[in-house]
Amino acid sequence: KPLLEASEAKPKASPPVWAWPPRPHSLVPPTKPVPLIRGVPEQYALSLLGLAATRTKAVLDRQPPQARPRKPAKPCAARTKCMNVVYAALEDDYPGLLPSMTSALAKSKASEQVCFHIIVPMGSDAGKLCRMVSHYHQANTDRFCSHQPEILPDTEVMCPEHPFQVPDNINVVSTSGVHWSGACYCSSSQVQILHFDPGPYDAMQLISAEDPATLGRRTLDFALTCLDEILLPRIDGSPRIVYLEPDTIVQADLKALMDTKLKDGKVIAPAKACSEVQEDWFNFNSVVVNMTMDREDCVLNTGVFMMDLPKFQSYRIGQRIKELVVRHKIRTIWVKNSIKAPLILALQGHVQRVDSAWDVMRLGIDPNLDGKVLDSAFVLHWTGPRKPWTNNGLYKGRWSKFQTVLPIFHPPKRFSSP
């Protein structure tokens, strides 16, 4: 029986080659251990791997950023209570225009009283601008005010958001011959667009340029010479305005600039910023220049200023500009090829400069500006080619916090008739 059991017993299977521990014949010569991190001792590698695991867990456990708390939109103030802020913009300026407007609202203690007036050249597609305003309005409901239709007269219209130039039924011609058209409101009564057409004006020769690409910019520069004609028929509140260029960011309440006490005879309050002297702009061999200007004085800065429109009109600044243009035809008065030159000369003696913090410039030129100066500035101004919305822009962080990403707009398809 034991013999039978032994014969019936199954032979014991030998372990496979891959079994552990290996058989003596499958042993391989010992090799150096593979380091956890090449070139790093084991004790340090373990510390680094532990730190990486800790950081990975912290990232996975991180909560998503909380959205900026928003207060409900305030109803727009009556037009008689508006604080009027003016821009002049081309289509290329739109990416900077909307963040500048948003920053002005964010820093205002009464944002529902801020009313924007955007001057664009005749023929501009205001529909594109209105779509951008509408999107910013929806994304910043606590900053823009809610539309109150009853505060607008029946003669006022809302701008359509589809591409358009000038509605034919709202053309206006002022009594002095300056033509401007197409006044309408975007999204709410807080934002107004004005299509500007200088028309048959004595200074039209200044606008015409050999380079058609500069025509729109020169037209807007010319608009600064007749802001009283453009805006006084359109505003019901304070006759004072604050003018901002589109490549600015506001860091203080503009009401402080609006409430500047002007001395007798003063019309405009620009910042003390100085980038050029008057000798660079004007011909001092001219009698009118030599009698009214000093060579080393700073040229009037028109990037940010407050203007009293009735005083501008009462001192006949517009008429003075016309006279200077006529005299310039006879003998050269200004050497700088800028439409702002007759405006600057006509305003001599009517300027009251304010704190330079209201226009801190060169943010589009100098990458080494003092951070403390930028922090204390009331208005940041990206003068120069490196605008913050371009690829090589400077100081983007100070601008992007007021930016809202815009959706891609697909224009409606147009089908040809069969």
Side-chain angles (χ1 to χ4, degrees):
K1 186 175 180 180
L3 184 60
L4 181 61
E5 292 177 355
S7 62
E8 292 179 354
K10 295 181 179 179
K12 195 172 183 179
S14 59
V17 177
W18 45 264
W20 188 266
R23 290 182 296 178
H25 67 273
S26 65
L27 291 176
V28 296
T31 59
K32 293 182 180 180
V34 179
L36 296 175
I37 301 178
R38 183 172 297 180
V40 179
E42 183 176 359
Q43 62 270 27
Y44 297 118
L46 290 173
S47 299
L48 291 174
L49 291 174
L51 178 62
T54 303
R55 290 179 65 93
T56 302
K57 185 177 185 302
V59 171
L60 294 176
D61 294 343
R62 186 182 300 168
Q63 296 295 327
Q66 298 295 326
R68 179 174 60 86
R70 296 181 182 176
K71 300 177 182 178
K74 298 179 181 178
C76 293
R79 292 177 51 169
T80 54
K81 297 181 180 179
C82 274
M83 183 178 72
N84 298 295
V85 180
V86 180
Y87 292 91
L90 298 175
E91 187 172 335
D92 293 341
D93 301 323
Y94 293 171
L97 172 64
L98 273 300
S100 180
M101 294 167 57
T102 306
S103 67
L105 293 173
K107 298 302 179 180
S108 175
K109 296 179 180 178
S111 59
E112 73 280 4
Q113 296 181 3
V114 179
C115 297
F116 296 106
H117 307 271
I118 306 172
I119 302 172
V120 298
M122 180 66 70
S124 300
D125 180 8
K128 178 179 180 179
L129 178 56
C130 278
R131 290 191 299 271
M132 296 176 68
V133 170
S134 177
H135 187 75
Y136 266 76
H137 194 167
Q138 295 173 11
N140 299 274
T141 54
D142 57 330
R143 292 171 176 171
F144 286 83
C145 62
S146 60
H147 180 46
Q148 305 295 310
E150 63 275 7
I151 69 176
L152 289 179
D154 295 337
T155 55
E156 304 292 352
V157 297
M158 302 299 292
C159 301
E161 294 189 7
H162 58 76
F164 80 99
Q165 274 74 41
V166 182
D168 295 333
N169 60 335
I170 51 176
N171 291 344
V172 178
V173 181
S174 69
T175 56
S176 64
V178 178
H179 293 233
W180 57 270
S181 306
C184 58
Y185 289 86
C186 280
S187 184
S188 74
S189 57
Q190 193 170 29
V191 182
Q192 184 186 52
I193 293 182
L194 295 167
H195 283 81
F196 174 67
D197 177 16
Y201 195 70
D202 292 343
M204 278 299 294
Q205 59 170 349
L206 297 175
I207 298 178
S208 59
E210 296 179 359
D211 184 8
T214 64
L215 181 60
R217 184 68 62 191
R218 294 171 70 84
T219 299
L220 293 183
D221 286 346
F222 177 69
L224 297 183
T225 67
C226 45
L227 287 175
D228 57 331
E229 297 284 351
I230 301 172
L231 295 171
L232 281 178
R234 308 298 309 177
I235 58 178
D236 297 328
S238 171
R240 289 186 170 192
I241 63 163
V242 169
Y243 175 83
L244 299 171
E245 290 193 348
D247 54 350
T248 56
I249 287 294
V250 180
Q251 298 189 143
D253 194 341
L254 292 176
K255 192 174 187 304
L257 180 59
M258 183 73 76
D259 293 341
T260 301
K261 293 183 179 180
L262 292 176
K263 299 178 181 178
D264 291 341
K266 304 304 180 182
V267 171
I268 187 172
K272 293 179 182 177
C274 187
S275 58
E276 294 177 287
V277 294
Q278 295 183 143
E279 189 176 16
D280 300 331
W281 277 60
F282 296 95
N283 175 24
F284 275 82
N285 293 325
S286 170
V287 176
V288 64
V289 174
N290 202 18
M291 292 180 60
T292 57
M293 289 184 157
D294 292 328
R295 294 176 181 270
E296 301 302 322
D297 283 353
C298 294
V299 174
L300 172 65
N301 174 29
T302 58
V304 179
F305 60 81
M306 184 277 291
M307 179 183 286
D308 191 309
L309 294 179
K311 287 187 176 182
F312 184 93
Q313 201 169 49
S314 65
Y315 285 105
R316 301 173 58 83
I317 303 297
Q319 184 63 32
R320 175 67 171 158
I321 292 173
K322 293 180 184 180
E323 295 172 359
L324 289 171
V325 171
V326 173
R327 296 183 65 171
H328 180 70
K329 293 178 184 179
I330 302 172
R331 184 172 182 179
T332 302
I333 297 179
W334 47 86
V335 294
K336 186 83 168 181
N337 185 22
S338 174
I339 300 178
K340 296 178 182 179
L343 171 67
I344 293 172
L345 183 55
L347 284 171
Q348 287 297 305
H350 302 289
V351 179
Q352 178 178 318
R353 301 184 188 273
V354 294
D355 193 337
S356 60
W358 282 110
D359 192 3
V360 175
M361 302 186 292
R362 298 182 60 82
L363 273 78
I365 302 174
D366 190 352
N368 301 313
L369 295 176
D370 188 352
K372 293 182 179 179
V373 174
L374 300 182
D375 291 338
S376 60
F378 300 151
V379 177
L380 301 175
H381 193 177
W382 274 261
T383 53
R386 302 181 67 177
K387 307 297 184 186
W389 58 87
T390 60
N391 293 333
N392 65 339
L394 297 175
Y395 307 101
K396 292 188 176 184
R398 296 180 180 271
W399 172 85
S400 59
K401 54 187 174 182
F402 299 106
Q403 180 195 20
T404 298
V405 179
L406 297 171
I408 299 175
F409 173 74
H410 299 283
K413 295 182 180 180
R414 298 190 178 187
F415 300 94
S416 58
S417 57

